[in-house]
Amino acid sequence: MLVKTFGSAVYGIEAITITVGVNIAAGTKYFIVGLPDIAVKESYFRIESALKNCGFRMPRQQVVVNMAPADIKKEGSSYDLTIATAVLAASGQIEAEELDKYLIMGELSLDGGLQPIKGALPIAIQARKDGFKGFILPKQNAREAAIVNDLEVYGVESIKEVAGFFNGDVALQPQMVNTREEFYNSLSNYDSDFSEVKGQENIKRALEIAAAGGHNVILIGPPGAGKTMLARRLPSILPPLSLYEALETTKIHSVAGKLSTADALITVRPFRSPHHTISDVALVGGGGNPQPGEISLAHNGVLFLDELPEFKRSALEVMRQPLEERRVSISRAKFTVDYPSSFMLVASMNPCPCGYYNHPEKECVCPPGTVQKYMSKISGPLLDRIDLHVEVTPVNFNELADDRPAEQSESIRARVINARERQQQRFGDKTDLHANAQMSSKMVRDVCKISEAGQALLKRAMEKLGLSARAYDRILKVARTIADLGGSENIEIEHLAEAIQFRSLDREGWAG
């Protein structure tokens, strides 16, 4: 008897429906075809044990499993339940009438229980597109998949429940999640706030500008000056995620298997802080079975690289293209997957190995040439892609002991949202452009027009600091953001002056 069930393969953050056909005929062997990997081939042993332990039998005849389309590689253990259900139906142990209405996925344990799968959300979205009535999957993934409307999502704990459901013995209740309620209830629910930071008003101002225009930032300062503390609070002043951004971000985390059982939807902007020992592949994504890297997990949020010079040069260089294109393409011989990676880069570093170069009170003890060597670990092209270079100085005792409350993130966020709204109006007809930092060079010339006095100031700054053409564009973008924060239609000379001062690493004093 021939029976078909349906599963799904995830490529990038999109899913492709896979038809699993099982035919039982005379013979004794088990065959699985359709480009399965080792984990899919090993499913026979998991399925056989699970069926026996749940009171079913594995047919002692020739079982042929075909996974179509056959030119797409099938990877992982999440097809166990799809194949097992087809085997039960083909051997007459469950009814097969309703099988074609459901997409079925799950990894089987030896006792018949189910383990969670990766990519439940994109699979559910594709199932709805393909017109399936429902999606049967492990209970741990049910909330994640249930945010897709117009699709019945059934979370099950064992293959017994699936068999009982198709035989009409078990009535499964679909998982219900009110997507909009889930989204709005926990929107902008952050644990930390800018009001907890004493002093550092100039740094707060720089981060406010960065948030308002989506600019990349590097914080340079001695140990204990508060670089990490300030960076961790940056998401709290960013505009709230839109529902579309929340769904897109959740899809990436779903594919990477980073969603907890309690999570249905990511409602706050991600903050990713990888350790400096991270490999190139872990940072940008890839591998034999491509997975999203940290830059994609930070999509629509913040990627924080603490102690930037300690990262491998190759890892930083491979990040340059995604910083410009806001997506990363991972190419293999037979396929290419794309992961979105539109993030704000926030980096921090000490000014030198001992940490006290240019310190107002302590003396640097590094030997001659050390500072230059330390700074050279960060390439010029990467620094050019960072709009704001901000010097962080230690907070003095009087500021630490001051009991007056500092400005809350909510107030700063309100100004940031207003600035972003001005940008949305400016870029209204461009769907892929949301902030000043994303403008192309051509658009910078059109949008960031400056007066003759401004041109003269910028010319002097570029000659003195030796800035590149890319740095010229960056200054204009930052000046446009400062003007937006101030509610100004035009870029005034004071906006340009403030933008120029955020190019600390271009000044001669940092050459070592």
Side-chain angles (χ1 to χ4, degrees):
M1 183 176 174
L2 172 64
V3 168
K4 290 180 181 177
T5 54
F6 298 92
S8 198
V10 177
Y11 281 85
I13 57 170
E14 304 300 330
I16 301 165
T17 298
I18 302 295
T19 303
V20 176
V22 170
N23 187 60
I24 297 180
T28 56
K29 290 195 174 182
Y30 178 93
F31 299 98
I32 184 162
V33 295
L35 216 57
D37 73 348
I38 297 296
V40 179
K41 288 177 181 175
E42 288 174 345
S43 66
Y44 172 80
F45 303 103
R46 291 190 294 272
I47 292 168
E48 182 181 40
S49 178
L51 294 183
K52 282 183 180 178
N53 286 321
C54 289
F56 301 105
R57 60 181 172 78
M58 189 73 179
R60 292 303 170 204
Q61 295 158 281
Q62 186 189 78
V63 179
V64 178
V65 180
N66 179 49
M67 307 180 80
D71 60 338
I72 294 175
K73 192 170 178 64
K74 321 302 183 305
E75 297 172 315
S77 53
S78 55
Y79 298 103
D80 291 359
L81 187 60
T82 324
I83 298 169
T85 306
V87 168
L88 287 175
S91 58
Q93 296 177 74
I94 64 171
E95 296 293 330
E97 290 177 15
E98 299 280 306
L99 280 181
D100 61 345
K101 296 178 182 177
Y102 295 89
L103 196 140
I104 305 166
M105 294 289 283
E107 178 189 333
L108 281 171
S109 299
L110 298 183
D111 62 357
L114 291 174
Q115 300 296 320
I117 62 171
K118 291 180 179 180
L121 178 55
I123 291 171
I125 292 169
Q126 188 61 38
R128 182 180 65 181
K129 276 185 192 172
D130 291 343
F132 285 99
K133 178 184 177 183
F135 181 17
I136 298 171
L137 77 168
K139 199 164 190 174
Q140 300 96 314
N141 299 111
R143 279 179 56 77
E144 173 189 339
I147 66 174
V148 178
N149 300 324
D150 304 322
L151 182 74
E152 294 175 8
V153 174
Y154 297 102
V156 293
E157 294 182 339
S158 74
I159 193 170
K160 264 188 179 179
E161 287 183 52
V162 180
F165 174 69
F166 285 112
N167 283 334
D169 303 329
V170 176
L172 295 178
Q173 293 302 313
Q175 177 77 46
M176 303 301 292
V177 171
N178 187 325
T179 308
R180 293 188 179 277
E181 185 181 317
E182 188 93 15
F183 176 66
Y184 290 113
N185 280 353
S186 51
L187 200 60
S188 302
N189 184 18
Y190 292 100
D191 296 330
S192 52
D193 196 275
F194 264 76
S195 61
E196 300 156 359
V197 180
K198 300 286 186 182
Q200 303 289 27
E201 297 305 321
N202 60 323
I203 319 302
K204 291 180 186 175
R205 169 66 177 171
L207 293 180
E208 181 181 338
I209 294 166
H215 301 288
N216 300 323
V217 193
I218 185 166
L219 305 173
I220 315 114
K227 302 185 293 292
T228 304
M229 180 184 65
L230 285 156
R232 288 192 180 278
R233 281 157 178 74
L234 179 58
S236 70
I237 64 169
L238 288 170
L241 285 169
S242 66
L243 186 55
Y244 173 78
E245 286 177 325
L247 282 165
E248 191 176 38
T249 306
T250 307
K251 277 172 78 175
I252 298 168
H253 286 251
S254 170
V255 168
K258 302 288 185 185
L259 284 179
S260 69
T261 307
D263 286 333
L265 193 64
I266 290 175
T267 55
V268 294
R269 293 192 178 271
F271 181 89
R272 304 293 300 182
S273 180
H275 192 259
H276 60 76
T277 55
I278 191 169
S279 68
D280 306 8
V281 169
L283 186 62
V284 298
N289 174 18
Q291 288 288 300
E294 287 290 335
I295 64 171
S296 295
L297 293 170
H299 180 61
N300 290 323
V302 175
L303 178 70
F304 177 52
L305 302 183
D306 200 4
E307 300 301 337
L308 187 67
E310 302 302 329
F311 281 79
K312 286 193 298 182
R313 180 83 177 241
S314 60
L316 295 178
E317 294 306 299
V318 83
M319 199 171 62
R320 278 162 43 185
Q321 188 178 356
L323 269 171
E324 288 287 320
E325 297 182 358
R326 300 191 175 275
R327 66 174 39 253
V328 58
S329 294
I330 297 162
S331 297
R332 295 291 178 265
K334 292 186 178 178
F335 61 90
T336 299
V337 295
D338 281 351
Y339 292 113
S341 58
S342 180
F343 59 92
M344 273 182 67
L345 173 65
V346 181
S348 76
M349 60 178 288
N350 292 332
C352 66
C354 80
Y356 298 110
Y357 181 70
N358 274 1
H359 193 281
E361 296 168 8
K362 297 187 180 179
E363 193 175 333
C364 174
V365 296
C366 297
T370 306
V371 178
Q372 189 174 20
K373 185 180 178 183
Y374 184 72
M375 294 298 297
S376 67
K377 290 183 179 180
I378 309 165
S379 70
L382 181 64
L383 273 181
D384 273 350
R385 285 168 170 81
I386 298 175
D387 304 352
L388 301 167
H389 305 166
V390 186
E391 289 185 68
V392 183
T393 52
V395 180
N396 62 43
F397 177 79
N398 291 336
E399 287 177 316
L400 283 173
D402 192 347
D403 289 334
R404 285 178 298 177
E407 189 176 22
Q408 292 188 331
S409 290
E410 191 176 350
S411 305
I412 303 171
R413 186 164 63 241
R415 294 197 295 272
V416 168
I417 291 170
N418 286 336
R420 286 282 181 112
E421 284 173 355
R422 295 177 73 89
Q423 292 163 52
Q424 290 285 6
Q425 290 169 8
R426 186 181 299 129
F427 310 131
D429 58 334
K430 296 177 174 62
T431 54
D432 59 339
L433 200 59
H434 307 290
N436 287 333
Q438 297 168 2
M439 287 191 288
S440 65
S441 294
K442 181 179 182 298
M443 192 168 288
V444 169
R445 301 292 186 274
D446 296 336
V447 172
C448 305
K449 296 187 184 301
I450 54 178
S451 64
E452 286 187 17
Q455 288 280 13
L457 174 67
L458 197 48
K459 183 184 178 185
R460 285 199 305 274
M462 288 199 67
E463 288 171 351
K464 186 175 180 183
L465 302 178
L467 302 181
S468 67
R470 187 182 275 114
Y472 172 81
D473 284 350
R474 302 281 169 184
I475 289 172
L476 288 178
K477 288 179 186 179
V478 173
R480 180 64 266 172
T481 300
I482 295 168
D484 287 338
L485 276 170
S488 173
E489 286 296 323
N490 301 314
I491 299 175
E492 305 295 345
I493 199 159
E494 61 267 24
H495 303 144
L496 265 177
E498 187 174 1
I500 291 167
Q501 76 165 358
F502 291 124
R503 302 298 300 182
S504 297
L505 294 180
D506 295 321
R507 295 204 301 266
E508 288 180 13
W510 288 100

